[in-house]
Structures are given as C-alpha cells and as structure tokens.
Amino acid sequence: MVELKSDASIEAMREAGRTVARALAAAREAAAPGVGLRELDRAARRVLAEAGAESPFLGYHPGWAPTPFPAVVCTSVNDAIVHGVPGGYRLRDGDLVSVDCGAVLDGWAGDAAVSFTVGRGRPEDERLIRTAEEALAAGMAAAVVGNRVGDIAHAVGQVCRRAGYGIPAGMGGHGVGRRMHEDPAVPNEGRAGRGMPLRHGMVLAIEPMLIAGGGDGCRTAGDGWTVRTADGTRAAHAEHTVAVTASGPRILTAL
C-alpha cells in the first residue's frame, strides 16, 4: 500500500533528507588513501548524532540477511554494487567507492547514495559515475504527476543501456516514508507508460546501479550482505529521495 504524504510531512522528510546529505558529505570528505571504511562510518555516525537522528541501517535485519547490519552506512568498493559492510579494508588510490546512508528524524526517513573515486580516479570510473548520476537525473525528471512508475524505470534504464552498462538484475528503488523501504518498488529498467500512476505526495527513492562490464549478473559475497558484480567489473550507485508534487519533483536528500 502506498501512503501519500501531506505537504507538512514532505517538509519533515526534507529535514531527514538534509541529515542524510550531510552524513554522505562527511563520509566522502573522510575518504582518502589509507583511510579505513570504518572511519567513513564513524564520520556519518557523528552527523546523525549531532542531528538527533537514528539510523535505519544500523541493526536492520531482513529475512535474507544472516546477521543484522552493523553500521550506519553501506560502503561498496570497486566491484561491490551495494550493501557493502564497513570492515577493516583501507582505501587505496584509485578505488571507486559507493556510500549509501539513511536517517530517521522525527519519525520520517531519508535515503541516498553517492559514488566517487579516491585519489587519482580512472577516466573509465569517472564516466561510470557520471552516467549513474545522469540516470538518476533522468529518473527524477520523470517523477511527475501524471506519469507512471514505468516512466521512471524507462528513463533510468535508457541512460544506462545507451552508455553500454549493465543493470543489476532485480535491484532498484522504493517508496520512503515512516520506514526506509515502502511501496512501491521503483525498477531501474522498464516500459514507459506502465505501472502505478504517480500522484502528489508520493515519495520515492530512485537509485540507479550500473555495472561497467555491461552484464546484469551479480552475486552475494560471503558476508551475506555485500552484492558484487558477477564479472568482477566495477559498479556505481547514485540515489536520492524524491517527492512527487504538483509543482514537479522535489529532491529531499540534497544539501
């Protein structure tokens, strides 16, 4: 069931979204060659604590996961697509990092992700990241009253495929509200004009995930959380929480 948010609720979600944006910025600023992934998590935790926000990631335990998630951010490096656990790995020059973060503030959630390179990034990685951001922008532009969920999926998928990248099978965005994951599902590929109609008050997490090698295959690593590309090529992830409004899409997780 999809809950339509009031304008006042969307304003409250904007505050949660700002907290997410600040946490992602702090994690990105902390990232450098030699820095451990746990330090990125600590940087984000400090932002959440200062805002009085809780993490919807910390302790999250869906049925498919072997253990609760132990951090407030997912840190996915190189061939990791999503759900990377911040462990003992130390960043190296040229790594491609995707950081995903959520926050719950005054009962409302926000969810966003950013990808970037550490140190001297490779041109092919910068193109991959740029395309993920372009796919996100296309998806958000399609999040207008009168369109359908399939229009978002089509817009995202077209950007990814035209650039020659793969789209992880079965993975995509979702509704956001009182909980981090709500209806409807928002695929990263689909047919325009299909799916649920978009109405004022719907809030969606749109999150393209791209695989550099062009295939769609992925696998879950031994930790039971990290999803990696099946072909070992690198991946990028971009995400914003967006409100569908009568005056157009409103990004809730931007600084």
Side-chain angles (χ1 to χ4, degrees), residues 91-178:
L91 293 169
R92 300 170 185 171
D93 190 56
D95 277 346
L96 193 166
V97 184
S98 299
V99 181
D100 193 351
C101 183
V104 176
L105 186 64
D106 296 328
W108 293 104
D111 187 12
V114 63
S115 293
F116 54 89
T117 54
V118 176
R120 294 167 292 181
R122 307 188 307 183
E124 57 267 38
D125 291 341
E126 299 293 348
R127 177 177 179 266
L128 180 67
I129 293 168
R130 185 168 61 252
T131 305
E133 293 169 347
E134 290 169 356
L136 174 58
M140 293 191 297
V144 297
V145 174
N147 272 359
R148 292 177 176 266
V149 169
D151 292 302
I152 298 175
H154 179 74
V156 170
Q158 285 288 98
V159 173
C160 299
R161 295 302 188 189
R162 285 173 180 164
Y165 296 128
I167 301 171
M171 306 189 74
H174 49 88
V176 184
R178 292 288 184 183

Coordinates of all heavy atoms in Angstrom, one line a residue, residues 91-178:
L91 N 41.2 2.2 2.2 CA 41.1 2.7 0.8 C 42.4 2.8 0.2 O 43.4 3.2 0.8 CB 40.3 4.0 0.8 CG 38.8 3.9 1.2 CD1 38.3 5.3 1.5 CD2 38.0 3.1 0.2
R92 N 42.4 2.6 -1.2 CA 43.6 2.7 -2.0 C 43.4 3.7 -3.0 O 42.3 4.0 -3.5 CB 44.0 1.4 -2.6 CG 44.2 0.3 -1.6 CD 44.3 -1.1 -2.2 NE 44.5 -2.2 -1.2 CZ 44.4 -3.5 -1.5 NH1 44.2 -3.9 -2.8 NH2 44.6 -4.4 -0.6
D93 N 44.5 4.3 -3.5 CA 44.5 5.3 -4.6 C 43.8 4.7 -5.8 O 44.1 3.6 -6.3 CB 45.9 5.7 -5.0 CG 45.9 6.9 -5.9 OD1 45.3 7.9 -5.5 OD2 46.5 6.8 -7.0
G94 N 42.8 5.3 -6.3 CA 42.0 4.9 -7.5 C 40.8 4.0 -7.2 O 40.1 3.6 -8.1
D95 N 40.5 3.7 -5.9 CA 39.3 3.0 -5.6 C 38.1 3.7 -6.0 O 38.0 5.0 -5.9 CB 39.3 2.7 -4.1 CG 40.1 1.5 -3.7 OD1 40.5 0.7 -4.5 OD2 40.3 1.3 -2.5
L96 N 37.1 3.0 -6.4 CA 35.7 3.6 -6.7 C 34.8 3.2 -5.5 O 34.7 2.0 -5.2 CB 35.1 3.0 -8.0 CG 33.9 3.7 -8.5 CD1 33.7 3.3 -10.0 CD2 32.6 3.5 -7.8
V97 N 34.3 4.1 -4.8 CA 33.5 3.9 -3.6 C 32.1 4.4 -3.7 O 31.9 5.5 -4.2 CB 34.2 4.6 -2.4 CG1 33.4 4.3 -1.1 CG2 35.6 4.2 -2.2
S98 N 31.1 3.6 -3.4 CA 29.7 4.0 -3.3 C 29.3 4.0 -1.8 O 29.6 2.9 -1.1 CB 28.8 3.1 -4.1 OG 29.2 3.1 -5.4
V99 N 28.8 5.1 -1.3 CA 28.4 5.2 0.1 C 26.8 5.4 0.1 O 26.4 6.3 -0.6 CB 29.1 6.3 0.9 CG1 28.6 6.3 2.3 CG2 30.6 6.1 0.8
D100 N 26.1 4.6 0.8 CA 24.7 4.6 0.9 C 24.3 4.9 2.4 O 24.9 4.3 3.3 CB 24.1 3.3 0.5 CG 22.6 3.4 0.3 OD1 21.9 4.4 0.6 OD2 22.0 2.4 -0.2
C101 N 23.4 5.9 2.6 CA 23.1 6.3 4.0 C 21.7 6.6 4.2 O 21.0 7.1 3.2 CB 24.0 7.5 4.4 SG 23.8 8.0 6.1
G102 N 21.1 6.3 5.3 CA 19.8 6.7 5.7 C 19.7 7.4 7.0 O 20.7 7.3 7.8
A103 N 18.6 8.1 7.3 CA 18.4 8.7 8.6 C 16.9 8.8 8.8 O 16.1 8.9 7.9 CB 19.0 10.1 8.6
V104 N 16.6 8.6 10.1 CA 15.2 8.8 10.6 C 15.2 9.9 11.6 O 15.9 9.9 12.6 CB 14.6 7.5 11.2 CG1 13.2 7.8 11.8 CG2 14.6 6.4 10.2
L105 N 14.4 11.0 11.3 CA 14.3 12.2 12.1 C 12.9 12.5 12.3 O 12.1 12.7 11.4 CB 15.1 13.3 11.4 CG 15.2 14.6 12.3 CD1 16.1 14.4 13.5 CD2 15.9 15.7 11.4
D106 N 12.5 12.6 13.6 CA 11.1 12.9 13.9 C 10.1 12.0 13.3 O 9.0 12.4 12.8 CB 10.7 14.4 13.6 CG 11.6 15.4 14.4 OD1 11.9 15.1 15.6 OD2 11.9 16.5 13.9
G107 N 10.5 10.7 13.1 CA 9.7 9.7 12.6 C 9.6 9.5 11.1 O 8.9 8.7 10.6
W108 N 10.4 10.4 10.4 CA 10.4 10.3 8.9 C 11.8 9.9 8.4 O 12.8 10.3 9.0 CB 10.0 11.6 8.3 CG 8.6 12.0 8.6 CD1 8.2 12.9 9.5 CD2 7.5 11.5 8.0 NE1 6.8 13.0 9.5 CE2 6.3 12.1 8.5 CE3 7.3 10.5 6.9 CZ2 5.0 11.8 8.1 CZ3 5.9 10.2 6.6 CH2 4.9 10.8 7.1
A109 N 11.9 9.1 7.3 CA 13.1 8.6 6.8 C 13.6 9.3 5.6 O 12.8 9.9 4.8 CB 12.9 7.1 6.5
G110 N 14.9 9.2 5.3 CA 15.5 9.7 4.1 C 16.6 8.7 3.7 O 17.1 8.0 4.6
D111 N 16.9 8.6 2.4 CA 17.8 7.5 1.9 C 18.5 8.1 0.7 O 17.8 8.6 -0.2 CB 17.0 6.3 1.6 CG 17.8 5.1 1.2 OD1 19.0 5.1 1.4 OD2 17.2 4.1 0.8
A112 N 19.8 8.0 0.6 CA 20.5 8.5 -0.6 C 21.9 7.8 -0.7 O 22.3 7.2 0.3 CB 20.7 10.0 -0.5
A113 N 22.5 7.9 -1.8 CA 23.8 7.3 -2.0 C 24.6 8.1 -3.0 O 24.0 8.8 -3.9 CB 23.6 5.8 -2.6
V114 N 25.9 8.0 -2.9 CA 26.8 8.7 -3.8 C 28.0 7.8 -4.1 O 28.4 7.0 -3.3 CB 27.3 10.1 -3.2 CG1 28.1 9.8 -1.9 CG2 28.0 10.9 -4.1
S115 N 28.5 8.0 -5.3 CA 29.7 7.3 -5.7 C 30.8 8.3 -6.1 O 30.5 9.3 -6.6 CB 29.5 6.3 -6.9 OG 28.6 5.3 -6.6
F116 N 32.1 7.9 -5.8 CA 33.2 8.8 -6.1 C 34.5 7.9 -6.1 O 34.5 6.8 -5.7 CB 33.3 9.9 -5.0 CG 33.4 9.3 -3.6 CD1 34.6 9.0 -3.0 CD2 32.2 9.2 -2.8 CE1 34.7 8.5 -1.7 CE2 32.3 8.7 -1.5 CZ 33.5 8.3 -1.0
T117 N 35.5 8.5 -6.6 CA 36.8 7.9 -6.7 C 37.7 8.5 -5.6 O 37.6 9.6 -5.2 CB 37.5 8.0 -8.0 OG1 37.6 9.4 -8.4 CG2 36.7 7.3 -9.1
V118 N 38.7 7.7 -5.1 CA 39.6 8.0 -4.1 C 41.0 8.3 -4.8 O 41.5 7.5 -5.5 CB 39.8 6.9 -3.1 CG1 40.8 7.3 -2.0 CG2 38.4 6.6 -2.4
G119 N 41.5 9.5 -4.4 CA 42.8 9.8 -5.0 C 42.7 10.1 -6.5 O 41.8 10.8 -7.0
R120 N 43.6 9.5 -7.3 CA 43.6 9.6 -8.7 C 42.6 8.6 -9.4 O 42.9 7.5 -9.6 CB 45.0 9.4 -9.3 CG 46.0 10.5 -8.8 CD 47.4 10.1 -9.1 NE 47.8 9.0 -8.3 CZ 49.0 8.4 -8.3 NH1 50.0 8.9 -9.1 NH2 49.3 7.4 -7.5
G121 N 41.4 9.1 -9.7 CA 40.4 8.3 -10.3 C 40.7 7.9 -11.8 O 41.3 8.7 -12.5
R122 N 40.3 6.8 -12.2 CA 40.5 6.3 -13.6 C 39.4 7.0 -14.5 O 38.2 7.1 -14.0 CB 40.4 4.8 -13.7 CG 41.3 4.1 -12.8 CD 41.4 2.6 -13.1 NE 40.0 2.0 -13.1 CZ 39.8 0.7 -13.2 NH1 40.8 -0.1 -13.4 NH2 38.6 0.2 -13.2
P123 N 39.7 7.4 -15.7 CA 38.7 8.0 -16.5 C 37.4 7.2 -16.7 O 36.3 7.7 -16.8 CB 39.4 8.3 -17.9 CG 40.9 8.4 -17.5 CD 41.0 7.4 -16.3
E124 N 37.7 5.9 -16.9 CA 36.5 5.0 -17.1 C 35.6 4.9 -15.9 O 34.4 4.7 -16.0 CB 37.0 3.6 -17.5 CG 37.9 2.9 -16.5 CD 39.4 3.1 -16.8 OE1 39.8 4.2 -17.2 OE2 40.2 2.1 -16.6
D125 N 36.2 5.1 -14.7 CA 35.4 5.1 -13.5 C 34.6 6.4 -13.4 O 33.4 6.4 -13.0 CB 36.2 4.9 -12.2 CG 36.8 3.5 -12.1 OD1 36.3 2.6 -12.8 OD2 37.8 3.4 -11.4
E126 N 35.2 7.5 -13.8 CA 34.6 8.8 -13.7 C 33.4 8.8 -14.7 O 32.3 9.3 -14.4 CB 35.5 9.9 -14.1 CG 36.7 10.1 -13.1 CD 36.3 10.5 -11.7 OE1 35.2 10.9 -11.5 OE2 37.2 10.5 -10.8
R127 N 33.5 8.1 -15.9 CA 32.4 8.1 -16.8 C 31.3 7.2 -16.2 O 30.1 7.5 -16.4 CB 32.9 7.5 -18.1 CG 31.8 7.3 -19.2 CD 32.4 6.7 -20.5 NE 31.3 6.5 -21.4 CZ 30.7 5.4 -21.6 NH1 31.0 4.3 -20.9 NH2 29.7 5.3 -22.5
L128 N 31.6 6.1 -15.6 CA 30.6 5.3 -15.0 C 29.8 6.0 -13.9 O 28.6 6.0 -13.9 CB 31.3 4.0 -14.3 CG 30.4 3.0 -13.6 CD1 29.5 2.3 -14.6 CD2 31.3 2.0 -12.9
I129 N 30.5 6.8 -13.1 CA 29.9 7.5 -12.0 C 29.0 8.6 -12.7 O 27.8 8.8 -12.2 CB 30.9 8.2 -11.1 CG1 31.6 7.1 -10.3 CG2 30.2 9.2 -10.1 CD1 32.8 7.5 -9.5
R130 N 29.5 9.3 -13.6 CA 28.8 10.4 -14.3 C 27.5 9.8 -14.9 O 26.5 10.5 -14.9 CB 29.7 11.0 -15.4 CG 29.0 12.3 -16.0 CD 30.1 13.0 -16.8 NE 30.7 12.3 -17.9 CZ 31.9 11.8 -17.9 NH1 32.7 12.1 -16.8 NH2 32.4 11.1 -18.9
T131 N 27.6 8.7 -15.5 CA 26.4 8.1 -16.1 C 25.4 7.7 -15.1 O 24.2 7.9 -15.3 CB 26.8 6.8 -17.0 OG1 27.8 7.2 -17.9 CG2 25.6 6.3 -17.7
A132 N 25.8 7.2 -13.9 CA 24.9 6.9 -12.9 C 24.2 8.1 -12.4 O 22.9 8.1 -12.2 CB 25.6 6.2 -11.7
E133 N 24.9 9.2 -12.3 CA 24.3 10.5 -11.9 C 23.3 11.0 -13.0 O 22.2 11.5 -12.7 CB 25.4 11.5 -11.6 CG 26.2 11.2 -10.4 CD 27.4 12.0 -10.3 OE1 27.8 12.7 -11.3 OE2 28.1 12.0 -9.2
E134 N 23.7 10.8 -14.3 CA 22.8 11.2 -15.4 C 21.5 10.3 -15.4 O 20.4 10.8 -15.6 CB 23.5 11.1 -16.7 CG 24.6 12.1 -16.9 CD 25.5 11.9 -18.1 OE1 25.3 10.8 -18.7 OE2 26.3 12.7 -18.4
A135 N 21.7 9.0 -15.1 CA 20.5 8.2 -15.0 C 19.6 8.6 -13.9 O 18.3 8.6 -14.0 CB 20.9 6.7 -14.8
L136 N 20.2 8.9 -12.7 CA 19.4 9.4 -11.6 C 18.6 10.7 -12.0 O 17.4 10.8 -11.7 CB 20.3 9.7 -10.4 CG 19.7 10.3 -9.1 CD1 18.5 9.5 -8.6 CD2 20.7 10.5 -8.1
A137 N 19.3 11.6 -12.6 CA 18.7 12.9 -13.0 C 17.5 12.6 -14.0 O 16.4 13.2 -13.9 CB 19.7 13.8 -13.7
A138 N 17.7 11.7 -14.9 CA 16.6 11.3 -15.8 C 15.4 10.7 -15.1 O 14.3 11.0 -15.4 CB 17.1 10.4 -16.9
G139 N 15.7 9.8 -14.1 CA 14.6 9.2 -13.4 C 13.9 10.2 -12.6 O 12.6 10.2 -12.5
M140 N 14.6 11.2 -11.9 CA 13.9 12.2 -11.1 C 13.1 13.1 -12.0 O 12.0 13.5 -11.6 CB 15.0 13.0 -10.3 CG 15.7 12.2 -9.3 SD 16.7 13.2 -8.1 CE 17.9 13.8 -9.2
A141 N 13.6 13.4 -13.2 CA 12.8 14.3 -14.1 C 11.5 13.7 -14.5 O 10.5 14.4 -14.9 CB 13.7 14.6 -15.3
A142 N 11.5 12.3 -14.5 CA 10.2 11.6 -14.9 C 9.3 11.4 -13.7 O 8.2 10.9 -14.0 CB 10.6 10.2 -15.5
A143 N 9.7 11.8 -12.5 CA 8.9 11.6 -11.3 C 7.9 12.8 -11.2 O 7.9 13.6 -10.3 CB 9.7 11.5 -10.1
V144 N 6.9 12.9 -12.2 CA 6.0 14.0 -12.2 C 4.5 13.4 -12.1 O 4.3 12.3 -12.6 CB 6.1 14.9 -13.4 CG1 7.5 15.5 -13.4 CG2 6.0 14.1 -14.7
V145 N 3.6 14.2 -11.6 CA 2.2 13.8 -11.5 C 1.7 13.5 -12.9 O 1.9 14.3 -13.9 CB 1.4 14.9 -10.8 CG1 -0.1 14.6 -10.9 CG2 1.9 15.1 -9.4
G146 N 1.0 12.4 -13.1 CA 0.5 12.0 -14.4 C 1.4 11.0 -15.1 O 0.8 10.2 -15.9
N147 N 2.6 10.9 -14.7 CA 3.5 9.8 -15.2 C 3.2 8.5 -14.4 O 2.4 8.5 -13.5 CB 5.0 10.1 -15.2 CG 5.4 10.9 -16.4 OD1 4.7 11.1 -17.4 ND2 6.7 11.2 -16.5
R148 N 3.9 7.5 -14.8 CA 3.8 6.2 -14.0 C 5.2 5.8 -13.6 O 6.2 6.3 -14.1 CB 3.1 5.1 -14.9 CG 1.7 5.4 -15.2 CD 1.0 4.4 -16.1 NE -0.4 4.7 -16.3 CZ -1.4 4.1 -15.6 NH1 -1.0 3.2 -14.6 NH2 -2.6 4.4 -15.8
V149 N 5.2 4.8 -12.7 CA 6.5 4.3 -12.2 C 7.3 3.8 -13.4 O 8.5 3.9 -13.4 CB 6.2 3.2 -11.1 CG1 7.5 2.4 -10.8 CG2 5.7 3.7 -9.9
G150 N 6.7 3.2 -14.3 CA 7.4 2.7 -15.5 C 8.1 3.8 -16.3 O 9.1 3.5 -16.9
D151 N 7.6 5.0 -16.2 CA 8.3 6.1 -16.9 C 9.6 6.4 -16.2 O 10.6 6.8 -16.9 CB 7.4 7.4 -16.9 CG 6.2 7.2 -17.8 OD1 6.3 6.9 -19.0 OD2 5.1 7.3 -17.2
I152 N 9.7 6.3 -14.9 CA 10.9 6.5 -14.2 C 11.9 5.4 -14.5 O 13.1 5.6 -14.9 CB 10.7 6.5 -12.6 CG1 9.8 7.7 -12.2 CG2 12.0 6.5 -11.9 CD1 9.4 7.7 -10.7
A153 N 11.4 4.1 -14.5 CA 12.2 3.0 -14.8 C 12.8 3.1 -16.2 O 14.0 2.8 -16.5 CB 11.4 1.7 -14.6
H154 N 12.0 3.5 -17.1 CA 12.4 3.6 -18.5 C 13.5 4.6 -18.7 O 14.5 4.4 -19.4 CB 11.2 3.9 -19.4 CG 11.5 4.1 -20.9 ND1 11.8 3.0 -21.7 CD2 11.6 5.2 -21.6 CE1 12.0 3.4 -22.9 NE2 11.9 4.8 -22.9
A155 N 13.3 5.8 -18.0 CA 14.2 6.9 -18.1 C 15.6 6.5 -17.6 O 16.6 6.7 -18.2 CB 13.7 8.1 -17.4
V156 N 15.6 5.8 -16.4 CA 16.8 5.3 -15.9 C 17.5 4.3 -16.8 O 18.7 4.4 -17.1 CB 16.6 4.7 -14.5 CG1 17.8 4.0 -13.9 CG2 16.2 5.8 -13.5
G157 N 16.7 3.3 -17.2 CA 17.3 2.2 -18.0 C 17.9 2.7 -19.3 O 18.9 2.2 -19.8
Q158 N 17.2 3.7 -20.0 CA 17.7 4.1 -21.2 C 19.1 4.8 -21.1 O 19.9 4.5 -22.0 CB 16.7 5.2 -21.8 CG 15.4 4.6 -22.3 CD 15.6 3.8 -23.6 OE1 15.8 2.6 -23.7 NE2 15.7 4.6 -24.7
V159 N 19.3 5.6 -20.1 CA 20.6 6.2 -19.9 C 21.7 5.1 -19.7 O 22.8 5.2 -20.3 CB 20.6 7.2 -18.8 CG1 22.0 7.7 -18.5 CG2 19.6 8.3 -19.0
C160 N 21.4 4.1 -18.9 CA 22.4 3.1 -18.6 C 22.7 2.3 -19.8 O 23.9 2.0 -20.1 CB 21.8 2.2 -17.5 SG 21.5 3.0 -15.9
R161 N 21.7 1.8 -20.5 CA 21.9 0.9 -21.7 C 22.6 1.7 -22.8 O 23.4 1.1 -23.5 CB 20.6 0.4 -22.1 CG 19.9 -0.6 -21.1 CD 20.7 -1.8 -20.7 NE 20.0 -2.7 -19.9 CZ 20.5 -3.7 -19.3 NH1 21.8 -4.0 -19.3 NH2 19.7 -4.6 -18.6
R162 N 22.2 2.9 -23.1 CA 22.8 3.6 -24.2 C 24.3 3.8 -23.9 O 25.1 3.9 -24.9 CB 22.1 5.0 -24.3 CG 20.8 4.9 -25.0 CD 20.1 6.2 -25.0 NE 18.8 6.2 -25.7 CZ 17.8 7.1 -25.5 NH1 18.0 8.1 -24.8 NH2 16.7 6.9 -26.2
A163 N 24.7 3.9 -22.7 CA 26.1 4.0 -22.4 C 26.9 2.7 -22.3 O 28.1 2.6 -22.2 CB 26.3 4.7 -21.0
G164 N 26.1 1.6 -22.5 CA 26.7 0.3 -22.6 C 26.9 -0.4 -21.2 O 27.7 -1.4 -21.2
Y165 N 26.2 0.0 -20.2 CA 26.4 -0.5 -18.9 C 25.3 -1.5 -18.5 O 24.2 -1.5 -19.0 CB 26.4 0.6 -17.8 CG 27.6 1.5 -18.0 CD1 27.4 2.9 -18.0 CD2 28.9 1.1 -18.0 CE1 28.5 3.8 -18.1 CE2 30.0 1.9 -18.2 CZ 29.8 3.3 -18.2 OH 30.8 4.1 -18.4
G166 N 25.7 -2.4 -17.6 CA 24.7 -3.4 -17.1 C 23.9 -2.8 -15.9 O 24.3 -1.8 -15.3
I167 N 22.8 -3.4 -15.7 CA 21.9 -3.0 -14.6 C 21.6 -4.3 -13.7 O 21.1 -5.2 -14.2 CB 20.5 -2.5 -15.1 CG1 20.8 -1.3 -16.0 CG2 19.6 -2.1 -14.0 CD1 19.5 -0.8 -16.8
P168 N 22.1 -4.3 -12.5 CA 21.9 -5.5 -11.6 C 20.5 -6.0 -11.6 O 19.5 -5.2 -11.3 CB 22.3 -5.0 -10.2 CG 23.2 -3.8 -10.5 CD 22.7 -3.1 -11.7
A169 N 20.3 -7.3 -11.9 CA 19.0 -7.9 -12.1 C 18.3 -7.8 -10.8 O 18.8 -8.2 -9.7 CB 19.1 -9.3 -12.6
G170 N 17.0 -7.4 -10.8 CA 16.1 -7.4 -9.6 C 16.4 -6.4 -8.6 O 15.8 -6.4 -7.5
M171 N 17.2 -5.4 -8.9 CA 17.5 -4.4 -7.9 C 17.0 -3.0 -8.3 O 17.1 -2.7 -9.5 CB 19.0 -4.3 -7.6 CG 19.6 -5.7 -7.2 SD 21.3 -5.6 -6.6 CE 21.1 -4.9 -5.0
G172 N 16.5 -2.2 -7.4 CA 16.0 -0.9 -7.8 C 15.6 -0.1 -6.6 O 16.0 -0.4 -5.4
G173 N 14.8 1.0 -6.8 CA 14.4 1.9 -5.7 C 13.1 1.4 -5.1 O 12.6 0.3 -5.3
H174 N 12.5 2.4 -4.3 CA 11.4 2.0 -3.4 C 10.8 3.3 -2.9 O 11.3 4.4 -2.9 CB 11.9 1.2 -2.3 CG 13.1 1.8 -1.6 ND1 13.0 2.7 -0.6 CD2 14.5 1.6 -1.8 CE1 14.3 3.0 -0.2 NE2 15.1 2.4 -0.9
G175 N 9.6 3.1 -2.3 CA 9.0 4.2 -1.6 C 9.7 4.5 -0.3 O 10.4 3.6 0.3
V176 N 9.5 5.7 0.2 CA 10.1 6.1 1.5 C 9.1 6.8 2.3 O 8.3 7.6 1.7 CB 11.4 7.0 1.3 CG1 12.0 7.3 2.6 CG2 12.4 6.3 0.4
G177 N 9.1 6.7 3.6 CA 8.2 7.4 4.5 C 8.5 7.3 5.9 O 9.6 7.6 6.4
R178 N 7.6 6.7 6.7 CA 7.9 6.4 8.1 C 8.9 5.3 8.2 O 9.7 5.2 9.2 CB 6.6 5.9 8.8 CG 5.6 7.0 9.0 CD 6.0 8.0 10.0 NE 4.9 9.0 10.2 CZ 5.1 10.0 11.1 NH1 6.2 10.2 11.7 NH2 4.1 10.9 11.3

